[in-house]
Amino acid sequence: MNSTEPLSSVYFIHLPDGFSLSKHAVSIDPKIPLPVQKKEKVDSDSFDPNELSQEQILAGILTILAYDSSNEHADYYRKLIQEARPGIKEELAEAAILKTKNEDWDLAEEIWLALKGLAPEDTAITIDIALFFDQRADSYRKSGLHEDADAYDDTALQYYTKAMDVEPEVPDAFFNAGFFFLKQNLYAKARDCFESFLGLTVGEKDETLGENGAYKKERAQEIIEKIKIRNLENDRFHNAYKLISSGQEEKGLDEIRKFLQDNPAVWNAWFLLGWGLRKLERYEDAKLAFEKARECDGGDENADTLNELAICQMETGDFEGAHISLNDALSLEPENTKIISNLGYLNLKLGDEEEARKYFVTVLELDPNDKIAPIELARLEAES
């Protein structure tokens, strides 16, 4: 499939006499044209029926289902491909999961969309696609591709919303959407999702909820309680986050300070205060805020807090403290490229370019799309 203009790679034909689509008994309507996936460097004008393969037709059908699911013959194509390849749904699901795991994002997206086109009413697939775009956004944000990450967040939200709107309601749609909203700092929406999940599972035995059913119920209740105890649904907290993230740090800092007057034990608020101060390069004040966040319940369990604290420690000359903070953060999230990259910067400040180079190389091994590591490696190479 062509990820930029996928439908341009497909043309339509009527099967030649005697052509067998599958070893299975497949009923073909000769009046309906079949989509064919072009071979590389071959256009439709040079089509040779003697060279036509079954795989080209199956691939063409999947492309139509992925990118033109409203096609007037979509139902026929679905029926046809499932008759020709009875295990196609399972094959696609396994391939999509594998490509997602390997962060082969473009190909994974094509497969997920084909799977959705094949089974548009399957809510489990809709949830899986929402999770896919959610994960893709996380990966892009770690690589510094913030605009792309925001776009994939928007797409993830569309699929989460579709999954939560189905009847009868599916508990996992709300459980997974709850974590999505947590990452967006949309605590009221997160709470609503987790409460919906618990409401839908009231009276259900753990074994009927599938794998980790009991854990999910406990986790949902725990998050709801934390949101309530920390007053994270407060408008001031949400406004502060929006202001700081949009570059209006001073206004955001005013809001979060007012929030902290009534909620002094909320680590998230101290983190937000530190983040705003760090963005303004007020590193000493930011360091104090992050240290305060660590003193609050839950604040010392967050790798981002430790990473942000380390940045401030580096900027204020506390290299030993930064080293400790970064290693503590890495113990929580061993493959977090932001942390590993900052270990590279710490070693640059310490004058150990060889050790710094190792960290930046590791970043690229974990995330080939990282924007910072190649720049630093090129600079080190130029200076050597």
Side-chain angles (χ1 to χ4, degrees), residues 12-15 27-34 72-73 76-77:
F12 291 84
I13 65 164
H14 291 277
L15 282 180
S27 176
I28 296 175
D29 186 339
K31 297 178 182 178
I32 299 177
L34 290 178
E72 61 178 321
H73 302 304
Y76 169 69
Y77 295 146

Side-chain angles (χ1 to χ4, degrees), residues 59-96:
I61 290 175
L62 289 176
T63 300
I64 294 299
L65 293 179
Y67 297 101
D68 186 21
S69 58
S70 60
N71 185 286
E72 61 178 321
H73 302 304
D75 287 339
Y76 169 69
Y77 295 146
R78 290 185 189 102
K79 179 174 180 291
L80 192 62
I81 196 170
Q82 290 183 83
E83 287 180 353
R85 188 77 67 82
I88 188 67
K89 186 175 176 181
E90 291 74 19
E91 290 177 34
L92 289 175
E94 290 177 6

